[in-house]
Every structure is written in C-alpha cells, then in structure tokens.
C-alpha cells in the first residue's frame, strides 16, 4: 500500500526519455525506448571482453553500452541521481543471482572511486548498485576492503597500455590481516577495456581471491 502511494507521489520515469510511466508499469524503460536496450545473451558474452585480462576468472555484462545507456549512466554518475542506482540494479539482479550461485561467490565488492571524486560526485555509483544487488540475496557486501590510492586521470582518452600505467598501484587493500575472501564478485557500471577491473583483480588475486566481474554496460568494439 505504501509502495503504491509512493508511486503516485513519485511516479516512475523512463530512464532514457524521462517520460512518466503509468503507475502499474514496473518497467525501467517505456515501450518506445525498450527497443534500444540490447541485453547481452549468456552464450555470446565472452567475446565482448578483453582476453588479456589475466587476473579475472570471468567477466559478465548485462547490456550493450550504446548511446542510450551512455546518456543514462552519465546522468546517474554526474547528475546527482543517486536513486538511479537501485533501478539500474534491477536490470542486473537476475544475472547477479545466477553468478552468485554458479561460482559460489562469498563476497560482493564495488569498484572503488577515489575520495576526491567521491566528494565531488556525492556517491560511488558502483557501490549504490552493488549494495542494492547484495541486499536482495543477503550476501556479504564489503565496500571497504579495497580502496583507490591514486586519483587517476579520466581513462577515456588513453589507450590500453596507457590505462594500465595509469592504474598501476592505484588500488590497495585495507589492512585486514585475517580477512581473505575466496571468491569475489566485483561490480562496476561500465566495461570498456577492463583495465580498472583488472587493476582491482590483480591485488585481490595476490591476496588469495578468485575474481569474477559483473558490469551493467559493456562497450562492444
Ligand atoms: Zn522512454
């Protein structure tokens, strides 16, 4: 009842065109925008990811990072739209639960952002998503295990080699001597070259973890 009331006060808007959706419509996108969202099928998933990511056991992604998703994620990250996180997590929930079961994951960790960036942005977009996902299945969520040591430059204009140099020693594990996770699922919003995830995976692997990743959107080359 309360949920229904909230729907009237804050009706759901299509994340792409912002059109107000009918109260009974629980979809994330309106019927028109839905056709622009390309979900990634499990069997063709592997071909989208960088084969040189050696520290990652397996990558997963939910949708193709096209211009529509780009616009939505940009608004989410830089437009103070923290509430988008829970909605975007809904898109990922089914795949997330499958991965947890298949690989027997014991902890979920969001890719960290540097504290300077956190101050500007107000929140870590990956953490909002990973928290929402974890809550539904009651799995351990550790947002503090790994942190970003260096405030790396935006990666968009760098090639793969430069990205790696840029990310070297960017991440650090908190000093939890007794904590070691067996199977970690890293969560991020966008997969482009995979170098950020690889940077996290390298340090987690060195600490005895097996690393899997799940991203909302994957840039297909
Ligand atoms: Zn729409």
């Amino acid at each position: 009842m309360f949920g229904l009331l909230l729907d009237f006060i804050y009706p759901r808007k299509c994340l792409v065109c912002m059109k107000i959706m009918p109260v009974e419509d629980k979809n994330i996108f309106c019927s028109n925008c839905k056709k622009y969202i390309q979900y990634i099928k499990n069997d063709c998933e592997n071909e989208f990811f960088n084969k040189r990511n050696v520290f990652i056991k397996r990558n997963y992604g939910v949708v193709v990072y096209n211009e529509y998703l780009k616009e939505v994620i940009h608004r989410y990250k830089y437009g103070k739209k923290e509430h988008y996180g829970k909605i975007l997590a809904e898109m990922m929930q089914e795949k997330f639960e499958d991965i947890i079961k298949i690989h027997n994951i014991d902890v979920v960790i969001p890719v960290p952002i540097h504290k300077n960036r956190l101050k500007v942005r107000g929140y870590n977009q990956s953490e909002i998503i990973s928290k929402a996902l974890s809550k539904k299945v009651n799995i351990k969520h550790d947002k503090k295990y790994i942190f970003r040591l260096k405030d790396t430059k935006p990666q968009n204009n760098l090639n793969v080699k430069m990205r790696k140099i840029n990310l070297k020693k960017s991440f650090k594990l908190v000093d939890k001597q007794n904590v070691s996770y067996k199977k970690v699922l890293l969560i991020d919003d966008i997969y482009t070259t995979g170098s950020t995830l690889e940077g996290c995976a390298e340090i987690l692997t060195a600490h005895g973890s097996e690393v899997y990743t799940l991203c909302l959107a994957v840039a297909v080359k």
Side-chain angles (χ1 to χ4, degrees):
M1 183 63 199
F2 186 60
L4 205 64
L5 196 65
L6 280 180
D7 285 341
F8 274 110
I9 305 168
Y10 303 106
R12 216 168 225 221
K13 289 179 186 163
C14 166
L15 282 195
V16 173
C17 71
M18 321 269 263
K19 195 178 92 181
I20 292 177
M21 313 261 279
V23 175
E24 66 281 2
D25 192 343
K26 297 288 174 228
N27 288 307
I28 297 165
F29 305 102
C30 73
S31 49
N32 184 50
C33 296
K34 206 156 68 183
K35 46 181 187 276
Y36 304 120
I37 310 298
Q38 300 161 257
Y39 281 84
I40 298 170
K41 290 194 190 87
N42 286 349
D43 52 350
C44 61
E45 195 154 44
N46 261 334
E47 65 199 69
F48 296 140
F49 300 103
N50 189 348
K51 306 277 185 298
R52 282 173 295 187
N53 289 170
V54 291
F55 296 106
I56 298 167
K57 280 273 169 192
R58 184 157 179 191
N59 290 296
Y60 291 90
V62 179
V63 288
V64 172
Y65 186 56
N66 57 20
E67 55 186 303
Y68 301 95
L69 259 300
K70 195 173 180 174
E71 158 73 27
V72 171
I73 295 174
H74 192 273
R75 230 185 292 134
Y76 171 43
K77 275 163 98 158
Y78 308 107
K80 307 268 183 236
K81 300 262 185 221
E82 188 174 341
H83 68 283
Y84 272 34
K86 272 190 187 169
I87 305 171
L88 295 170
E90 281 175 32
M91 292 169 69
M92 303 166 75
Q93 195 73 38
E94 197 182 331
K95 201 167 244 184
F96 173 81
E97 289 181 24
D98 285 348
I99 298 165
I100 299 286
K101 267 188 229 143
I102 295 166
H103 300 295
N104 212 3
I105 301 293
D106 57 349
V107 68
V108 177
I109 295 178
V111 167
I113 60 173
H114 191 268
K115 58 178 191 302
N116 292 351
R117 227 173 273 191
L118 190 65
K119 226 179 262 171
V120 177
R121 213 173 279 178
Y123 49 90
N124 173 358
Q125 76 280 357
S126 303
E127 184 190 318
I128 306 289
I129 291 176
S130 63
K131 200 168 142 192
L133 288 168
S134 309
K135 232 178 182 173
K136 287 205 178 159
V137 289
N138 215 5
I139 188 168
K140 189 174 172 56
H141 179 253
D142 195 339
K143 61 174 185 183
K144 288 187 175 150
Y145 191 58
I146 182 164
F147 66 95
R148 213 153 180 150
L149 206 57
K150 289 198 289 187
D151 191 9
T152 42
K153 293 180 212 127
Q155 301 261 81
N156 307 357
N157 304 318
L158 304 177
N159 61 29
V160 176
K161 202 177 162 195
M162 286 309 290
R163 277 177 193 235
K164 275 200 170 157
I165 294 169
N166 199 24
L167 281 165
K168 209 147 182 94
K169 299 196 172 67
S170 285
F171 302 99
K172 204 174 180 322
L173 293 186
V174 283
D175 198 16
K176 285 184 185 171
Q177 298 293 343
N178 307 321
V179 181
S180 172
Y181 297 120
K182 270 200 199 93
K183 294 188 171 198
V184 174
L185 179 63
L186 278 174
I187 304 286
D188 210 357
D189 52 347
I190 311 163
Y191 183 103
T192 43
T193 62
S195 40
T196 307
L197 290 160
E198 182 78 344
C200 293
E202 184 172 1
I203 191 161
L204 288 164
T205 306
H207 206 66
S209 304
E210 206 167 86
V211 182
Y212 299 82
T213 77
L214 171 64
C215 290
L216 167 65
V218 182
V220 177
K221 287 135 230 151

